[in-house]
């Protein structure tokens, strides 16, 4: 684990032990902020054109955003936010945002899936209401597994933005509103898929549901910012040698969300619970940690 992260966790262990010894112990806000700043300042961001996945795709970082490469993103997702290990291509952050920001809005994780060419003939015939009901039932079935793994249960409230497939550009996007056990504020999970010859790019944005308007204002710039390179585009598919995925557009939307969206959503929103663990002991400092109106999150 990164030394700065280890120091961050050790700092809170000391604070927790001190709290157990005396009820008058005060939280060291200055040390907390210095540690937080040290972690945030350890990252190096990229702007402009970024090559993804060894040249398979290109990201032109949208204006007002910054990009964190795959290695640093793994550190953020796993070490800081407590997600299971993964292989992200990177993270997009709004310019003013940092991984350990107290007033987090949203971040966009970028991954690549090589599950094969997604046939899109079913796109025009999909009934999104029926698809939503299927997804809602899948989540109910998966909740016992979430509980067993130590994660809160989840409910799919509905579409925050219904699925839309751009047939010409082979780009799909939709948004879900999720409710997590014991959390008052619902979660926005915005999904963007860019289809390619052998798989798809997955752009997954997470934030509070009240971030929907803000994300919608940025959405088109984000969607247009990434493209497959020549030889890797959807139109380059060769049926004689290329693998075809076992599902179409409907399956892409309804795909099991327990493993990724569920973990990423709750941990991205509430990373402080993961990083600090017993921070609730410091009740007098919770308002500063979580912001006004989130004391009981």
């Amino acid at each position: 684990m990164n030394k700065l992260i280890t120091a961050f966790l050790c700092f809170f262990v000391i604070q927790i032990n001190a709290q157990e010894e005396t009820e008058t112990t005060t939280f060291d806000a200055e040390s907390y902020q210095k540690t937080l700043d040290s972690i945030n300042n350890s990252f190096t961001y990229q702007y402009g054109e970024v090559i993804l996945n060894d040249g398979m795709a290109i990201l032109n970082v949208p204006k007002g955003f910054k990009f964190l490469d795959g290695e640093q993103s793994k550190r953020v997702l796993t070490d800081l936010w407590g997600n299971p290990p993964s292989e992200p291509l990177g993270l997009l952050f709004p310019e003013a945002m940092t991984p350990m920001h107290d007033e987090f809005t949203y971040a966009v994780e970028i991954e690549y899936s090589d599950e094969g060419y997604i046939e899109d003939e079913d796109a025009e015939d999909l009934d999104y209401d029926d698809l939503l009901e299927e997804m809602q039932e899948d989540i109910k079935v998966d909740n016992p597994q979430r509980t067993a793994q130590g994660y809160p249960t989840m409910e799919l409230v509905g579409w925050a933005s219904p699925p839309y497939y751009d047939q010409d550009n082979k780009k799909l996007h939709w948004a879900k509103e999720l409710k997590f056990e014991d959390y008052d504020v619902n979660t926005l999970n915005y999904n963007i898929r860019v289809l390619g010859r052998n798989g798809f790019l997955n752009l997954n944005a997470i934030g509070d549901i009240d971030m929907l308007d803000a994300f919608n204002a940025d959405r088109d710039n984000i969607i247009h910012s990434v493209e497959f390179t020549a030889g890797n585009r959807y139109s380059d598919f060769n049926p004689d040698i290329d693998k075809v995925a076992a599902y179409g557009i409907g399956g892409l939307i309804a795909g099991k969300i327990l493993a990724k969206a569920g973990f990423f959503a709750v941990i991205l929103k509430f990373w402080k619970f993961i990083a600090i663990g017993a921070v609730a002991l410091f009740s007098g400092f919770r308002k500063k940690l979580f912001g006004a109106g989130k004391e009981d999150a």
Side-chain angles (χ1 to χ4, degrees):
M1 184 179 292
N2 182 273
K3 292 181 179 178
L4 283 173
I5 300 168
T6 302
F8 181 65
L9 297 176
C10 288
F11 167 74
F12 282 104
V13 169
I14 294 170
Q15 293 292 321
I16 290 168
N17 289 337
Q19 181 73 9
E20 290 176 345
E21 293 174 3
T22 173
E23 294 181 359
T24 60
T25 300
T26 58
F27 189 87
D28 190 344
E30 183 178 356
S31 295
Y32 164 80
Q33 191 59 52
K34 285 182 178 179
T35 306
L36 211 61
D37 291 343
S38 294
I39 295 173
N40 283 326
N41 292 335
S42 69
F43 297 107
T44 300
Y45 297 94
Q46 294 175 258
Y47 301 85
E49 184 176 282
V50 176
I51 305 300
L52 298 177
N53 207 29
D54 297 325
M56 180 175 288
I58 293 177
L59 169 72
N60 286 292
V61 180
K63 183 178 180 181
F65 285 81
K66 55 190 177 183
F67 177 77
L68 203 61
D69 67 22
E71 285 302 312
Q72 295 180 94
S73 295
K74 282 195 291 187
R75 177 184 150 205
V76 170
L77 291 167
T78 302
D79 293 343
L80 292 181
W81 293 348
N83 282 274
S86 62
E87 295 296 328
L89 299 180
L91 286 166
L92 269 179
F93 288 94
E95 180 62 44
M97 197 58 48
T98 61
M100 305 289 278
H101 202 285
D102 277 344
E103 296 297 329
F104 208 100
T105 54
Y106 70 85
V108 181
E109 182 186 14
I110 304 175
E111 291 184 310
Y112 175 69
S113 172
D114 62 355
E115 296 184 23
Y117 176 84
I118 305 292
E119 294 181 323
D120 61 357
E121 289 84 357
D122 65 333
E124 294 183 359
D125 300 324
L126 287 172
D127 185 321
Y128 294 129
D129 291 335
D130 288 346
L131 190 60
L132 177 64
E133 291 180 5
E134 177 185 333
M135 294 165 66
Q136 289 171 325
E137 184 60 32
D138 284 344
I139 288 177
K140 290 179 182 179
V141 171
D142 285 337
N143 270 331
Q145 184 182 348
R146 292 181 57 81
T147 300
Q149 295 177 354
Y151 291 88
T153 60
M154 180 171 61
E155 173 191 351
L156 174 54
V157 177
W159 299 124
S161 180
Y164 175 77
Y165 181 53
D166 182 345
Q167 177 75 39
D168 294 334
N169 294 302
K170 307 302 179 184
K171 295 182 177 182
L172 170 70
H173 61 86
W174 72 96
K176 301 183 292 286
E177 180 177 355
L178 301 170
K179 179 175 179 57
F180 287 92
E181 180 183 14
D182 296 332
Y183 295 127
D184 294 333
V185 181
N186 288 353
T187 297
L188 171 68
N189 179 203
Y190 215 113
N191 298 267
I192 298 170
R193 302 290 185 268
V194 181
L195 307 188
R197 174 179 178 177
N198 295 301
F200 57 89
L201 289 165
N202 174 8
L203 284 71
N204 186 28
I206 300 293
D208 286 344
I209 192 62
D210 57 10
M211 290 295 106
L212 179 59
D213 288 343
F215 185 81
N216 279 338
D218 298 327
R219 182 193 64 203
D220 288 348
N221 286 336
I222 293 173
I223 290 174
H224 295 149
S225 69
V226 61
E227 299 286 350
F228 282 100
T229 55
N232 298 297
R233 295 170 182 150
Y234 195 84
S235 58
D236 296 320
F237 173 71
N238 184 337
D240 295 329
I241 60 174
D242 294 332
K243 178 176 68 174
V244 177
Y247 51 85
I249 297 298
L252 192 58
I253 297 171
K256 297 290 186 179
I257 67 174
L258 169 70
K260 193 58 188 176
F263 289 141
F264 182 46
V266 70
I267 292 169
L268 175 53
K269 278 186 62 182
F270 303 104
W271 62 265
K272 300 180 185 68
F273 286 116
I274 305 301
I276 305 170
V279 74
L281 292 171
F282 306 104
S283 58
F285 198 59
R286 292 192 71 194
K287 187 171 183 179
K288 177 176 176 61
L289 281 175
F290 298 106
K294 292 191 177 181
E295 292 89 339
D296 298 321

